[in-house]
Amino acid sequence: MQDSLWQRLLPSLAVLGSVSALCLGTSFAKHLFPVVGAQGTTALRVGFSALLLLLIWRPWRFRPTKANLGQIAVFGVVLGLMNLLFYMAIKRLPFGVTVAIEFVGPLSVAVWTSRRLLDLVWLGLAALGLFLLLVLPMFGVQTNTLDPVGLCYAILASACWAGYIVLGKRAGHMHGGMVVSLALLTAAVVVVPFGIAEAGAKLLQPSILLYGLAVAAISSALPYTLEMFALKRLSSGAFSTMLATEPAIAAIAGMLVLGELLTATQWSAIGLIMFAAMGSALTAKPSAPPQPAAAKAEEPAVA
């Protein structure tokens, strides 16, 4: 009986572990911003993540075709931009707020592909959350107005996450490990030049390289491994529902690791967006089990 209960709980715990590792890794990554900037930090994280996953999956074994490589390249460019924009957003915005805004991207994809009346309710709740975050401060309702440039980066990252999901589903017929490892390699090619332009030789300092490797392992390699385990044992709805806890966990990580304190209004907005994401996942029509290629490699992924 206990073994059966543990077997049922383990996949959910794996998703929570994945989200927690991603949020903690990203919070620690923010400590690199004063040294190498957001672009340099993105280059370290994505570059080392690509190396780690290339070593794990050795994608050349699967002999991808030219058509496969072209599809993966487009996927990787979007993945790289998503990571870069996300890190540039959290440089100017609280971590939890950025993740909440970014979540509107996949929620919009879910609503667009479903087009059910109920999904408009979830989109409306997310829109209300965005109203509390973005519009109310303009009228002086909140004292801590969010940085407008950071908001632009977060909204663009959200759009990239939506594109990431669409492209990831199209690549679902290929081996997930091959897709993600080659896509991260492409993402590294996209973001590393930005990091070099921002930080230059600082990126080669041994202490910075070691810290970047640790961030990549915690925020990419470990979450991806846990998600791979969970995806094989959870339904798409259950997995997405668990994943929707990320904004709250990000806000808590930002508070504990970075000292980022949010207002009651911002917490309410994050709660509304989380509730919308969970509602969309729980009421979604049954579909085929999600492919590893469509799993988030940023936080967020990439992000």
Side-chain angles (χ1 to χ4, degrees), residues 18 29 112 119 136 139-140 175 303:
S18 169
W112 177 257
D119 287 315
L136 283 188
F139 296 95
H175 187 276

Side-chain angles (χ1 to χ4, degrees), residues 6-7 28 70 74 79 92 98 104 130 144 165 169 188 192 202 208 213 223 235 238 255 258 262 292 295-296:
W6 177 249
Q7 289 173 356
F28 286 123
V74 176
L79 174 60
R92 296 170 176 267
T98 305
V104 177
L130 287 179
N144 54 340
I165 291 173
K169 287 183 178 179
V192 167
K202 293 178 182 177
I208 298 297
L213 177 60
S235 66
M255 181 174 61
L258 302 170
L262 303 181
K296 188 180 177 190

Side-chain angles (χ1 to χ4, degrees), residues 18 22 26 45-46 49-50 53 57 75-76 78-80 82-83 86-87 102 161 164-165 168 176-177 179-185 187 215-225 227-228 231 239 243 246 291-303:
S18 169
L22 173 63
T26 304
R45 189 235 180 193
V46 174
S49 297
L53 289 179
W57 289 109
F75 183 49
V78 173
L79 174 60
M82 181 179 72
N83 276 272
F86 177 76
Y87 270 72
E102 197 185 22
W161 194 1
Y164 169 89
I165 291 173
V179 172
V180 174
S181 55
L182 290 178
L184 270 172
L185 178 61
V215 165
I218 296 171
S219 63
S220 288
L222 178 58
Y224 181 71
T225 302
E227 285 184 5
M228 287 283 289
L231 278 166
F239 180 82
L243 202 64
E246 186 175 338
Q291 298 294 326
K296 188 180 177 190
E298 113 57 13
E299 144 86 356
V302 239

Side-chain angles (χ1 to χ4, degrees), residues 1 237 240 258:
M1 182 70 176
S240 300
L258 302 170

Side-chain angles (χ1 to χ4, degrees), residues 59-69 72 174 178 182:
W60 50 87
R61 295 178 301 158
F62 302 100
R63 298 182 180 181
T65 65
K66 288 184 178 180
N68 293 153
L69 291 175
I72 292 171
M174 293 181 269
M178 178 192 73
L182 290 178

Side-chain angles (χ1 to χ4, degrees), residues 92-239:
R92 296 170 176 267
L93 300 176
F95 184 22
V97 170
T98 305
V99 173
I101 294 172
E102 197 185 22
F103 250 78
V104 177
L107 181 59
S108 299
V109 171
V111 172
W112 177 257
T113 54
S114 172
R115 299 183 185 181
R116 295 180 304 162
L117 183 61
L118 180 60
D119 287 315
L120 293 178
V121 175
W122 308 129
L123 188 61
L125 286 176
L128 178 58
L130 287 179
F131 177 83
L132 294 177
L133 284 176
L134 309 183
V135 180
L136 283 188
M138 297 179 185
F139 296 95
V141 178
Q142 291 177 230
T143 55
N144 54 340
T145 303
L146 297 172
D147 184 277
V149 177
L151 290 174
C152 289
Y153 286 140
I155 292 169
L156 289 173
S158 175
C160 285
W161 194 1
Y164 169 89
I165 291 173
V166 173
L167 293 169
K169 287 183 178 179
R170 291 177 183 173
H173 63 283
M174 293 181 269
H175 187 276
M178 178 192 73
V179 172
V180 174
S181 55
L182 290 178
L184 270 172
L185 178 61
T186 306
V189 172
V190 171
V191 304
V192 167
F194 287 94
I196 293 174
E198 172 74 13
K202 293 178 182 177
L203 292 173
L204 299 178
Q205 294 178 13
S207 59
I208 298 297
L209 288 172
L210 186 61
Y211 198 97
L213 177 60
V215 165
I218 296 171
S219 63
S220 288
L222 178 58
Y224 181 71
T225 302
L226 291 172
E227 285 184 5
M228 287 283 289
F229 172 84
L231 278 166
K232 295 177 181 179
R233 294 162 177 82
L234 290 176
S235 66
S236 177
F239 180 82

